[in-house]
Each structure stands twice: as C-alpha cells, then as structure tokens.
Amino acid sequence: MTRSKILAAAALIAMIPAAAIAQEGPVSYEEQLAQVETQLVYQAPIAGVENDYWFNYQTDLAEARKELTKDLRGASDAEDNRDAWEEYRAELADARGDYAKEMAEKGYPVGEVRVLTDNGR
C-alpha cells in the first residue's frame, strides 16, 4: 500500500466517531427504544417529595437494570438480545407510569413545563 493510501485511510478512520468504533454491532430497534425510555426516567422526585413511591420507583429502576444485565449475559442470539431490551423498556415505562399515577392520586402535580419563545405575537 502506498503512503498516500495509508494517509487517506488514517484520515477516514479519524473522522469516525469513537462511539461507532467502540460499539460491538448494530443497535437494535428495541435497544434504541430503550435508550429513549431511559431519557424519560425521572431524575428527581415529583414535586420534590421523597416518599415511599419515590423509593419504590428507584428500586424498580435498579431491578430493571439488574435484570437487563442478567438477560444480556444469557442472550444466545439476536432475538434474545432484542427481547431483553424490550422487556427493559417496558419495565422502565411501567415504573414511570406507576410512580406518576401514585403521585397524582396523592395530589402532587405531574406534568411538563414548556417554555415558549416569543414569536412576535
């Protein structure tokens, strides 16, 4: 291989994001959905109230992560892998929904705050 081809190949490799190189294989659709679901996880208690519902929610999240790790270790093929990610996504969504429902029943506001920019109206 000529020096110019080696330099061109090195330049192409430098342009590939590090995350793409570190990844073992293609990310499944189920894993992508789970990644979106993890972004929806409550980072702080609703209304700033740390009660049993908040701690149960944290426990549910920890159990979901533990089960995902166990399921991925035991996965023997791509289908097992997809099933593990789908189960993880579903557990996160259920935990979030249950926590929000319990807090709403106790009278704590559950919702989103949106800041809109002034469009000159």
Side-chain angles (χ1 to χ4, degrees):
M1 190 181 279
T2 65
R3 184 169 190 244
S4 61
K5 286 183 181 179
I6 293 172
L7 291 175
L12 287 174
I13 291 171
M15 292 174 20
I16 299 173
I21 294 171
Q23 189 175 3
E24 293 180 11
V27 176
S28 68
Y29 178 68
E30 292 79 6
E31 185 175 351
Q32 290 174 12
L33 290 177
Q35 289 171 355
V36 170
E37 193 64 45
T38 59
Q39 294 173 2
L40 299 174
V41 167
Y42 289 110
Q43 300 300 315
I46 293 173
V49 177
E50 287 189 359
N51 55 14
D52 287 344
Y53 301 122
W54 170 251
F55 296 118
N56 290 342
Y57 177 60
Q58 295 300 307
T59 301
D60 291 344
L61 295 178
E63 287 176 2
R65 286 187 211 104
K66 184 178 177 180
E67 189 171 334
L68 173 66
T69 302
K70 179 181 150 243
D71 289 348
L72 289 176
R73 280 192 192 132
S76 61
D77 59 11
E79 184 177 351
D80 289 345
N81 192 302
R82 289 191 306 268
D83 288 345
W85 282 106
E86 174 54 29
E87 183 178 346
Y88 176 66
R89 185 212 55 79
E91 288 178 9
L92 291 181
D94 287 345
R96 184 171 41 86
D98 291 346
Y99 173 58
K101 180 182 173 187
E102 293 292 342
M103 292 299 282
E105 287 175 359
K106 293 293 180 189
Y108 295 105
V110 180
E112 297 179 10
V113 175
R114 295 182 185 203
V115 178
L116 304 175
T117 60
D118 182 19
N119 292 340
R121 295 184 201 172

